[in-house]
Amino acid sequence: MNMLRLKGSSLKIQRMRTMETSTIPTTATTIEENLAGVSAQVETACNRAGRDVHPRLVAVSKRQPDEGIAAVLQAGHRVFGENRVQEAQQRWQERRQTYYDLRLHLIGGLQTNKAAEAVALFDVIEVVDRPKLARALAAEMQKAGRHLECYIQVNTGEEAQKSGVMPDDLDALLAMCRNECGLNITGLMCIPPVEEEPAMHFALLRGMAERYALAELSMGMSGDFEDAIAFGATSIRVGLSLIHISEPTRLRRISYAVFCVKKKRGGGGGG
């Protein structure tokens, strides 16, 4: 009887191991499936909103392992968002030699002393939020002979710890960027407060873009991009649901809320 029990236990353990092996997908398979899943969600949200043109999917690659990035590239995706210049340099400088169609968006706060590196690496700067930064970017673009697309980041929730120009100051900053600096301002970006309904912030940003005839709206992250699509987002910034196995939307938002409370700082522009 003991032998029968042992054999039964061994069989059970073997079955568990087989099941474990067969149900854990490879990184490439997981990401390809997640990319398809996000694309299907975007399609559904666009149909619901009566939109023919889909928003640009910016894959947020901050703090992700190389194998994850390689798998997203292997799946054919080429538009990525980064929060930090130094991390982006390490990840993308060599890859640019192989992937000529890469399009990199800077979506995290930028210090003026990093303006030259940002101009050299990125294709779109989404975080213009103050005159000093606008002047620094303009000077570096002139030196480099590059004329990048720029978005102004608006602090729609008027949060003290978060980057972005206050809504009441947008008019003056936009005029300064266009008239004094000659920046190519094509759109606006926002990150709604975690504890508030994002839809009202998306509506506010859309109204500002319409007022100033700006075509690009970067809004919506992993937990709320479907709402952003309904309000006209032209870029959505998706992180966890693309790189990892998708988590429930509510859990993602709670995790982000805890992160923000711990950090007490502006944070990045996507995930």
Side-chain angles (χ1 to χ4, degrees), residues 25 126 159 210 255:
E126 296 197 13
E159 299 172 273
E210 290 173 349
S255 296

Side-chain angles (χ1 to χ4, degrees), residues 39-55:
S39 297
Q41 287 179 271
V42 169
E43 177 80 26
T44 300
C46 286
N47 290 339
R48 192 183 300 125
R51 290 183 54 172
D52 295 324
V53 180
H54 288 194

Side-chain angles (χ1 to χ4, degrees), residues 101-116:
D101 52 348
L102 275 176
R103 187 168 174 83
L104 302 179
H105 290 234
L106 179 61
I107 58 175
L110 178 63
Q111 297 176 336
T112 54
N113 63 358
K114 295 290 183 181

